[in-house]
Amino acid sequence: KMAGSSSPWIGSAYLFLQSTCTGVALPALYESSQKRPSVFKALKLALADSTGSMSGVDMLKVHCSHPHLIVQLKFCKRESCRRFLRSYREGSLQKSLQSHLQLSLATSTVPLETELKAGSEHLDSMLKDEDHCLECIHREKPDRLRDEEISELEESLKSLTVHQSINNNVAVKDCIPLSPTALPPSPGSSLSPQVTFTFQGQEFVNRTLLPDDHQKFAKLVSKKWKQVGRSLQRGCRALRDPAIDSLALEYEREGLYEQAYQMLLRFIQSEGKRATIARLVSALEENGLISLAEELLGLHSNEDCS
């Protein structure tokens, strides 16, 4: 249906990968905490090659189902999806993946077999009909948010790229040393107690968001959850457009609480230990939600807010 170009174009597909080399089992490599960052880096760079952009396609989850590594993909733009399909059809994606795996794993060639599915449709048999493939992918909406493990690997890769490019004064692509030690601590690890922030002239210890903060926010923010999301968006790739509008559509039936809850959940899952009370309070202040900020910081006597 051509129903209004206002709603974002979103689609989902599964990329199945299998090494035809007996000595290389991709699921086993991905399950290894030491090798996982290298496999992820190869996937990320090859997908970027296929769409022409690091943000052309999102990986939501990587499933290990021996002998396959299955990558759940989310597309937010028709053109990016079209580029991906062409790259896949012409074999460029496969070659790029083989080359990046070889570099990342410092191994000899990794011959691959690939398969692409959208729902029950096997797209390999219909690749010449690009529009039909796009339709199949568009019909399949992602059934999950990005996996926390993927978010951590993304952050690790991104921070190393930025760090390297600042140091070398050059955009780094293939030479990003990614080791398990570079992975950020898992969400929930506390911040240094010396880290504080000021709100209404008082100093507060910064900390990662707690489940109680999450629930209070969802209960009390009401219709302004989108504005808060857009304020948080500036430092959070997971909330970039059109993610907020997509969440609004996806959870419309469940109501404002669920929409707000899912938005903050995405922020927490994406940012890990950087999803702090200071960042949320700053976003609330920016949108005039002072009393909600006070509630989260324990400055209110418990009043009933509906």
Side-chain angles (χ1 to χ4, degrees), residues 114-133:
T114 60
E115 192 180 349
L116 190 62
K117 290 183 186 176
S120 58
E121 300 284 357
H122 292 249
L123 301 185
D124 296 72
S125 60
M126 54 178 86
L127 288 170
K128 285 181 182 171
D129 190 347
E130 205 171 86
D131 287 335
H132 184 55
C133 288

Side-chain angles (χ1 to χ4, degrees), residues 77-145:
K77 287 184 181 167
R78 183 193 294 269
E79 272 319 299
S80 296
C81 189
R82 194 183 288 281
R83 275 192 222 110
F84 168 84
L85 282 169
R86 283 180 188 164
S87 171
Y88 182 84
R89 186 181 69 222
E90 291 159 7
S92 312
L93 174 65
Q94 191 175 4
K95 283 182 194 150
S96 177
L97 250 175
Q98 287 175 178
S99 147
H100 285 304
L101 281 168
Q102 189 178 347
L103 282 166
S104 288
L105 297 167
T107 182
S108 54
T109 49
V110 183
L112 290 175
E113 277 182 1
T114 60
E115 192 180 349
L116 190 62
K117 290 183 186 176
S120 58
E121 300 284 357
H122 292 249
L123 301 185
D124 296 72
S125 60
M126 54 178 86
L127 288 170
K128 285 181 182 171
D129 190 347
E130 205 171 86
D131 287 335
H132 184 55
C133 288
L134 280 166
E135 205 179 290
C136 293
I137 291 171
H138 181 46
R139 217 167 31 227
E140 291 301 314
K141 298 298 181 242
D143 59 355
R144 58 166 23 256
L145 292 173

Side-chain angles (χ1 to χ4, degrees), residues 169-232:
N169 224 5
V170 65
V172 177
K173 186 179 173 193
D174 285 338
C175 308
I176 308 164
L178 193 62
S179 66
T181 52
L183 288 175
S186 58
S189 56
S190 57
L191 297 164
S192 157
Q194 288 87 357
V195 181
T196 61
F197 67 101
T198 307
F199 174 74
Q200 294 185 337
Q202 285 184 249
E203 288 241 324
F204 292 89
V205 172
N206 199 9
R207 55 174 173 76
T208 48
L209 291 169
L210 304 169
D212 190 46
D213 303 322
H214 195 166
Q215 285 166 5
K216 273 185 188 170
F217 170 81
K219 182 183 169 192
L220 301 175
V221 70
S222 191
K223 291 176 183 172
K224 282 201 170 180
W225 71 268
K226 273 187 169 187
Q227 283 121 291
V228 176
R230 291 202 170 95
S231 295
L232 291 171

Side-chain angles (χ1 to χ4, degrees), residues 61 75 130 142-143 146-147 153 162 177 192 207 237 246 275:
K61 185 167 177 64
F75 298 90
E130 205 171 86
D143 59 355
R146 189 163 59 173
D147 196 66
L153 288 162
V162 171
S192 157
R207 55 174 173 76
R237 282 180 67 246
S246 302

